[in-house]
Amino acid sequence: MVNIKRELLVESLKEVLKRGDIRGILSYKGWEPLWIMSEEELTQVDVTPMSELNLVSIFMNQEKPRLKRGESPDKRKVALTLKGCDSKSLIQLMAENMVERDSLFIIGIGCEGVVSRKKLKEKFGKRELKVERYDDRNYRVVIEGDVEIVPKDEIMNDKCRVCRYPDALIYDLFLGEKRGEQKKEDKFDDVREIESMSLEERREFWQKEFERCIRCYACRNACPLCYCEDCILERLNPTWISRAVESRENLFYHFTRAYHLAGRCVDCGECERVCPMDIPIRLLNRKLIKEVKERYRFEAGLDPKASPLLATYKIEDSEDFIL
Amino acid sequence: MIVGRLRKEKEKGLYQSIINKGVLIATKRDGKKVVYKEITTPEEIVKVGRRGDDSPAKFVFPQTSTLFKFKLEKGGFKIIPEDKVFPERVIFGVAPCDAQAISILDKVFLEGDFIDQGYKRLRESITIVGIVCNSPLPYCFCTSVGLSPFDQQGMDISTVETDDFIYFKGITDKGIGFLETHSEIIEEVDQNQFEEVYRDVSHSLEMPKVRFDLGKGVEACDRRFQSRVWEKVARICISCGICVYMCPTCQCFDIQDESKGFEGRRFRVWDSCQFPSYTLEASGENPRGQRAKRVRNRVLHKFNYMVKTLGQVGCVGCGRCEEFCPESISIENIIENLIEEVSANE
């Protein structure tokens, strides 16, 4: 993430805590999410290029405690430190009426691309390391006291390569430097590569990937936009998707998950980040993002007032794919 | 033959011979990971000198397995038992943590009042060839749970490597039988020779750091059923099944029936205590409806309940749960925090 001075971050968050209407701040401690309820917890905060995860998914995964008789719900706000991509998922949730803007205090954070924990693990195989900004093109990796300068291209999360909105799109407070909308266009090279395969090759490709799936449902749970209280996966009567972990059922699971995100996915990359089996889940979502963009010129997560794509009809919508 | 050795040049010959006689499972590269898989040619094997990224326990206790099939006929249901004969399978390169994990699974399924017949049949077809772990990962903490990188518990055969040789020692009858089957390739040597090499290698090993005192950890778990630690972890946990499904000793399963037309099957499939549906009762009540209770269950099952039922800790310190946790939740940190909480309250 961008070169926010830690002192500035801590001071700003301290002010946020003092506002009095804040239940807690959800921020980062390296790779980990960190809830800050007190000034003591604030000392652990560390927003760095390691802040890869999307805090909106932790926010959405919060449990709502059952209220005792006569107890009123805690209406205080939750403060979130958000990158551009994370803010898009929040905007999409607002468009779907799942989150109220007033329940949040958003601390926007300028971002220059986050590090992929998987890539870093593969490269260094270490647990105790720190990644800091070095300059525009490099990260500074500190491993057990040794410093190494690593080019961004080597360890940056793939989603950052095609990122157009590095700054949080909505915020109450902005920390760090804004970079503005990036002019680069997402050419969907990864999706095109799969599209260029024959039907048979594509089937083989996905079958091989889904064979590894252990159905831990981390991709579903980590997705900020998977919020159904009654999920098709938990249904046993009728059983839409068998509990049996076999490649046919896995395929059905992943396709169902992806389709449910059509016109909604903002490409925050959480699904792929969490997958313990390295299944390229983002690729499936991106195929849908590409289709939605080409057919309806729509991009999810940009306008909190936008009507959900699949719930609207426009006379000029393309119909050529309907049989 | 109890002890033997093999010149490293002949290693591939041994693998080929196992493949010819049955099934060989060993570590091989799959994408970016090194996983246990069936080997078709000896060249595929990638030896890493540590545990694989996934656990070989999945061959002993597969994620999905059919218990029996059924068929509706005139006069009622007909049960068709699942009596598939498993080929002889050899799992090569099992690290001490995973071997210990399989021995824990054995205790769960094969000891006590009820013996799991399906597990038993599958288990009997498997021979475990263990290794000395000489390159522990940064997530490893076997030394904190009373194990070490050179334990032999759960192995049928223990192996140790020098520059020129691989030494084998048969521990169980099955292991000795294996060595005898391959006596053309593996030459018999004196047992002392093995012990000497084993001692030398063990002494030169890099040991994972001891993170907590096991006795104190077990005691803390026994005393901190109610603790703020559970609440704190639950605030960032997303209730996925990674920690459970990557764990070599987690052994909970769900049983499902599935039918199509007049035929169907009953199968069992891994289940995870982190899923809210795990303890959901027919009435709608869920005794572990809150995430903190589910987080607690996984930790206490290993560090308290299994201590009471099996007489040993159910965690082998492989560190996979933390390595793959999306939020980097660490079971060692949880135990450390519980210990701190206990001492702070005294």
Side-chain angles (χ1 to χ4, degrees), chain A residues 65-237:
Chain A
R66 247 186 244 169
L67 295 175
K68 292 190 185 99
R69 193 186 295 261
E71 203 180 9
S72 52
D74 192 342
K75 287 237 173 84
R76 288 176 300 166
K77 292 173 197 268
V78 170
L80 292 164
T81 49
L82 295 187
K83 312 186 285 282
C85 46
D86 309 340
S87 77
K88 281 172 76 185
S89 55
L90 193 61
I91 289 173
Q92 184 58 28
L93 284 164
M94 284 177 195
E96 295 175 16
N97 283 331
M98 289 309 293
V99 174
E100 278 177 47
R101 179 65 180 85
D102 285 347
S103 67
L104 299 166
F105 184 86
I106 304 169
I107 303 159
I109 279 176
C111 175
E112 291 187 330
V114 288
V115 168
S116 154
R117 185 180 171 207
K118 282 183 183 172
K119 285 189 189 173
L120 206 64
K121 193 171 109 183
E122 202 187 328
K123 188 170 165 68
F124 295 107
K126 296 279 189 244
R127 183 165 76 165
E128 306 297 337
L129 41 73
K130 270 181 85 84
V131 185
E132 294 156 4
R133 181 185 193 272
Y134 182 70
D135 59 21
D136 287 348
R137 287 165 187 279
N138 298 285
Y139 291 119
R140 183 171 180 266
V141 184
V142 186
I143 318 154
E144 291 157 8
D146 294 335
V147 176
E148 198 165 322
I149 306 301
V150 184
K152 271 189 166 181
D153 272 353
E154 274 182 42
I155 51 172
M156 193 164 69
N157 188 314
D158 287 334
K159 71 177 176 183
C160 305
R161 282 175 218 284
V162 292
C163 170
R164 268 185 35 223
Y165 303 98
D167 313 327
L169 293 172
I170 41 169
Y171 52 83
D172 297 301
L173 172 73
F174 201 93
L175 299 179
E177 233 168 274
K178 278 190 205 164
R179 289 170 63 212
E181 187 180 334
Q182 302 293 295
K183 288 286 170 266
K184 61 186 161 194
E185 200 196 335
D186 188 351
K187 297 204 170 63
F188 292 97
D189 291 336
D190 47 350
V191 180
R192 281 178 209 281
E193 199 179 311
I194 306 291
E195 283 173 341
S196 69
M197 294 178 180
S198 71
L199 197 61
E200 192 57 27
E201 284 169 335
R202 251 182 283 167
R203 194 183 57 86
E204 220 167 272
F205 173 85
W206 284 113
Q207 204 145 24
K208 209 171 157 248
E209 296 295 339
F210 294 147
E211 231 163 54
R212 289 204 300 271
C213 179
I214 52 170
R215 299 270 287 279
C216 62
Y217 302 139
C219 46
R220 175 194 64 171
N221 291 15
C223 177
L225 287 155
C226 263
Y227 51 69
C228 294
E229 283 192 12
D230 186 6
C231 177
I232 184 174
L233 296 166
E234 254 99 62
R235 277 286 176 94
L236 284 174
N237 195 13

Side-chain angles (χ1 to χ4, degrees), chain A residues 26 31-35 37 41 44 53 57-58 61-63 66 117-119 121-122 125-128 208 211-222 234 236 239 241-246 248-249 270 273-278, chain B residues 30-33 35 37 53-54 63-64 66 137-139 211 232 234-242 245-246 254 256-258 265 267 269-271 275-277 285 289-292 294 322-330 332-333:
Chain A
L26 191 46
W31 301 119
E32 300 167 39
L34 175 73
W35 272 103
M37 311 289 192
E41 281 167 314
Q44 298 177 43
L53 71 92
S57 97
I58 306 288
N61 264 294
Q62 281 178 106
E63 292 183 299
R66 247 186 244 169
R117 185 180 171 207
K118 282 183 183 172
K119 285 189 189 173
K121 193 171 109 183
E122 202 187 328
K126 296 279 189 244
R127 183 165 76 165
E128 306 297 337
K208 209 171 157 248
E211 231 163 54
R212 289 204 300 271
C213 179
I214 52 170
R215 299 270 287 279
C216 62
Y217 302 139
C219 46
R220 175 194 64 171
N221 291 15
E234 254 99 62
L236 284 174
T239 308
I241 298 171
S242 167
R243 293 274 165 103
V245 181
E246 288 159 356
R248 191 191 58 176
E249 298 298 325
E270 275 296 277
R273 179 186 75 82
V274 301
C275 181
M277 305 316 271
D278 297 339
Chain B
D30 181 9
K32 289 167 192 160
K33 292 199 158 64
V35 297
K37 270 202 154 177
D53 287 320
D54 66 351
Q63 185 160 16
T64 310
T66 303
L137 290 163
Y139 305 91
R211 297 284 303 271
K232 213 175 161 197
R235 288 211 298 245
I236 57 167
C237 171
I238 60 167
S239 289
C240 73
I242 292 181
Y245 288 175
M246 297 310 282
D254 185 18
Q256 296 276 328
D257 282 1
E258 255 173 26
R265 63 164 175 164
F267 63 96
V269 56
W270 293 352
D271 203 353
F275 296 156
S277 60
E285 166 63 10
Q290 289 90 18
R291 190 173 288 141
R294 298 197 290 272
E322 183 192 348
E323 181 178 0
F324 295 103
C325 176
E327 324 303 338
S328 313
I329 295 169
S330 142
E332 313 110 86
N333 283 353

Side-chain angles (χ1 to χ4, degrees), chain B residues 60-336:
Chain B
V60 178
F61 177 49
Q63 185 160 16
T64 310
S65 55
T66 303
L67 299 174
F68 57 82
K69 295 188 176 103
F70 50 84
K71 209 172 179 179
L72 185 62
E73 288 176 338
K74 266 183 199 164
F77 273 107
K78 191 183 158 199
I79 303 289
I80 306 151
E82 178 76 358
D83 47 11
K84 197 159 72 187
V85 178
F86 298 106
E88 280 298 315
R89 296 195 285 181
V90 179
I91 310 183
F92 236 88
V94 178
C97 51
D98 284 330
Q100 173 78 13
I102 292 171
S103 80
I104 290 174
L105 293 179
D106 286 350
K107 278 193 175 177
V108 172
F109 289 110
L110 301 176
E111 287 178 14
D113 297 337
F114 181 77
I115 289 164
D116 190 309
Q117 297 301 331
Y119 179 91
K120 189 169 174 235
R121 272 191 311 114
L122 180 56
R123 183 69 182 88
E124 278 169 356
S125 74
I126 291 171
T127 307
I128 290 168
V129 184
I131 53 167
V132 171
C133 174
N134 58 26
S135 49
L137 290 163
Y139 305 91
C140 293
F141 61 99
C142 60
T143 46
S144 305
V145 291
L147 302 175
S148 77
F150 47 85
D151 274 345
Q152 296 171 323
Q153 177 77 13
M155 295 176 187
D156 293 307
I157 294 165
S158 163
T159 67
V160 59
E161 287 190 27
T162 60
D163 289 342
D164 303 319
F165 293 99
I166 304 175
Y167 287 84
F168 296 79
K169 180 187 172 185
I171 296 173
T172 60
D173 291 346
K174 204 194 272 176
I176 294 166
F178 172 89
L179 294 179
E180 271 158 10
T181 321
H182 297 279
S183 56
E184 281 174 23
I185 306 170
I186 301 168
E187 55 165 319
E188 191 165 356
V189 290
D190 183 56
Q191 187 164 344
N192 291 333
Q193 207 176 332
F194 177 91
E195 303 300 347
E196 214 169 281
V197 173
Y198 205 81
R199 200 169 46 239
D200 288 349
V201 171
S202 311
H203 281 224
S204 67
L205 287 180
E206 178 200 342
M207 301 283 274
K209 211 173 101 193
V210 178
R211 297 284 303 271
F212 52 84
D213 180 276
L214 185 61
K216 277 188 184 161
V218 168
E219 196 205 331
C221 284
D222 199 39
R223 291 173 57 182
R224 305 310 289 175
F225 189 75
Q226 306 289 357
S227 160
R228 292 172 67 98
V229 174
W230 312 125
E231 309 285 341
K232 213 175 161 197
V233 176
R235 288 211 298 245
I236 57 167
C237 171
I238 60 167
S239 289
C240 73
I242 292 181
C243 50
V244 171
Y245 288 175
M246 297 310 282
C247 176
T249 68
C250 269
Q251 75 311 105
C252 291
F253 57 84
D254 185 18
I255 292 182
Q256 296 276 328
D257 282 1
E258 255 173 26
S259 56
K260 197 177 161 192
F262 295 104
E263 287 175 18
R265 63 164 175 164
R266 174 166 295 179
F267 63 96
R268 75 165 157 207
V269 56
W270 293 352
D271 203 353
S272 162
C273 57
Q274 302 307 300
F275 296 156
S277 60
Y278 179 84
T279 43
L280 183 64
E281 294 169 5
S283 65
E285 166 63 10
N286 194 343
R288 275 186 225 134
Q290 289 90 18
R291 190 173 288 141
K293 293 182 179 172
R294 298 197 290 272
V295 169
R296 175 176 67 195
N297 182 68
R298 193 179 120 77
V299 178
L300 290 193
H301 191 191
K302 303 207 182 292
F303 284 91
N304 188 345
Y305 315 150
M306 278 171 118
V307 175
K308 288 172 182 164
T309 54
L310 302 182
Q312 71 184 90
V313 170
C315 172
V316 294
C318 71
R320 288 184 182 98
C321 50
E322 183 192 348
E323 181 178 0
F324 295 103
C325 176
E327 324 303 338
S328 313
I329 295 169
S330 142
I331 197 165
E332 313 110 86
N333 283 353
I334 294 176
I335 304 291
E336 280 173 5

Side-chain angles (χ1 to χ4, degrees), chain B residues 24-40:
Chain B
L24 171 65
I25 292 156
T27 40
K28 93 183 227 190
R29 203 161 279 285
D30 181 9
K32 289 167 192 160
K33 292 199 158 64
V34 174
V35 297
Y36 291 90
K37 270 202 154 177
E38 188 178 331
I39 301 294
T40 45

